[in-house]
Each structure stands twice: as structure tokens, then as C-alpha cells.
Amino acid sequence: MTKLTTLAVSTRAKAGKGAARATRREGLVPAVIYGNKQEPEIVSIDPRLIMKELYRGGISSRVYTLAIEGGATASVLIRDVQLHPVSDAPIHVDFQRIAPGHKIHVAVPVAVEGEAPGVKRGGVLNVVYHSVDVEIDPSNIPEHFVADISGLDIHDTVRWTDLKGTEGAKLTGSQPSDLVIVSVAAPSVDADAEDAAAE
């Protein structure tokens, strides 16, 4: 289970582009909290908090507690962060309210652990999926799934069913249950080197 991170947000009275620009002039990022059959709530947040989370990685699958000005709180996922095209500074954030028991779709990162014997023998490690889209209860979202490659030889794979930490998670859409996550491919041989060896 992901450790909950608390982010402080301030309420905003007005919506619209003009109000959003005014919020940015104050050094804050306009944001909206939506979902869970509640009215959208317009807020603002310190851009340094968002940048810190972006640098941490795994932002799309991390559950946050928003401490809303006035004393209210909300459990949310960060669904979208719009960045300035030149400065890459955040200019808008979408938060989605979540509730335990209501499954949601998230992309959970895959952490590769171990050393593959096949790689030591010259094989090439191929991480097919760095994250996997799943349906899961928000209270059970892991920080990541684990792909243990310590037993992989050349041509071996780690599939969805081999991952650790997938309890309670279900693949979304038409993804097959034997989805290949990581593989060890045979070493690629340079054709010129082969020709030179044959001479």
C-alpha cells in the first residue's frame, strides 16, 4: 500500500481563464477536484509541491490526501498535470476524488529486481512494460509491482502472472493474463563481425 502524502490546497472563489491567470500571478497553480459524485471544487496549490511529486515518479498511482483550506480533506489521485510548453512549470492540475470500495483504473509502475543469468551470458534485458494499467481498489494501490528477473535465462520472460504485489489488481481492457512484462532476448550479433570471423 502506498504511503499517503498530504498536499495543502487553497480554495478559489472563481473559475475561468481570468481567475486562473490571477492565481498564477500569485505564484500558485490552479487546480480542480472532481469525481465521487460530488460537485467539482476549484482550488490552488503551491507549484513546488507538484514539482516534488513529479520528480518522485509514480505520480499517477499514488493516493494523496488533500488538506483543503477550511479544514476539509479529500483522498485523491492526480489525473493530469498540464505543464508550460517552454518552462515545464505546472500550470494546471486535475485531482480525482476516490473512495475505498470503488475500483478505479490506474497505471502502476513495474520495478525490476535481481540479476538475470541470461544477461550475464550476453542476453539483452527488454522491459516491455514500465507500468501496467489495472483496475484496483484505491486502498490497495501498491507503490509498484515487482518483476523478479533473478531466474531468467536467454528467451525467458516475466509475465503478468509472475509479478509480485498484484493481489486485488485486474488487468484493464483486452490485455491478456499472460502479458509479457520483461524478457531476456538473445544477444544481437553484428553481421560484419560474423563475416570477419568467417574469413
Side-chain angles (χ1 to χ4, degrees):
M1 173 65 188
T2 301
K3 293 181 180 178
L4 293 182
T5 300
T6 300
L7 301 176
V9 296
S10 302
T11 55
R12 290 194 293 138
K14 295 181 180 179
K17 291 184 179 179
R21 283 194 293 267
T23 298
R24 294 186 192 105
R25 283 197 296 271
E26 293 172 2
L28 299 172
V29 179
V32 63
I33 309 169
Y34 67 90
N36 204 23
K37 299 180 180 179
Q38 297 179 40
E39 286 294 319
E41 189 169 355
I42 303 163
V43 296
S44 60
I45 187 168
D46 187 325
R48 293 171 294 184
L49 297 178
I50 295 301
M51 292 305 297
K52 179 181 178 182
E53 295 308 305
L54 288 173
Y55 287 134
R56 281 178 68 188
I59 192 171
S60 63
S61 62
R62 187 172 296 120
V63 177
Y64 294 91
T65 297
L66 291 187
I68 305 168
E69 184 180 23
T73 61
S75 294
V76 300
L77 289 171
I78 295 178
R79 281 306 196 187
D80 186 43
V81 178
Q82 296 176 27
L83 301 176
H84 190 279
V86 177
S87 67
D88 279 339
I91 57 175
H92 193 272
V93 182
D94 287 343
F95 294 107
Q96 180 187 2
R97 295 186 189 95
I98 57 175
H102 295 273
K103 292 189 175 182
I104 56 174
H105 289 185
V106 293
V108 177
V110 174
V112 177
E113 295 184 357
E115 293 185 20
V119 173
K120 292 180 180 179
R121 293 177 52 230
V124 179
L125 185 69
N126 180 24
V127 180
V128 183
Y129 289 95
H130 292 275
S131 64
V132 184
D133 293 330
V134 297
E135 184 181 74
I136 193 169
D137 188 300
S139 63
N140 292 329
I141 300 173
E143 193 76 35
H144 52 255
F145 298 135
V146 176
D148 184 359
I149 64 169
S150 57
L152 297 192
D153 206 341
I154 293 173
H155 301 302
D156 286 346
T157 61
V158 173
R159 299 179 183 273
W160 161 253
T161 51
D162 302 318
L163 293 179
K164 297 176 182 177
T166 60
E167 298 80 6
K170 178 183 176 183
L171 289 171
T172 60
S174 59
Q175 299 176 99
S177 60
D178 62 348
L179 185 72
V180 173
I181 308 298
V182 182
S183 66
V184 176
S188 57
V189 179
D190 186 273
D192 292 336
E194 280 189 323
D195 292 341
E199 290 177 358

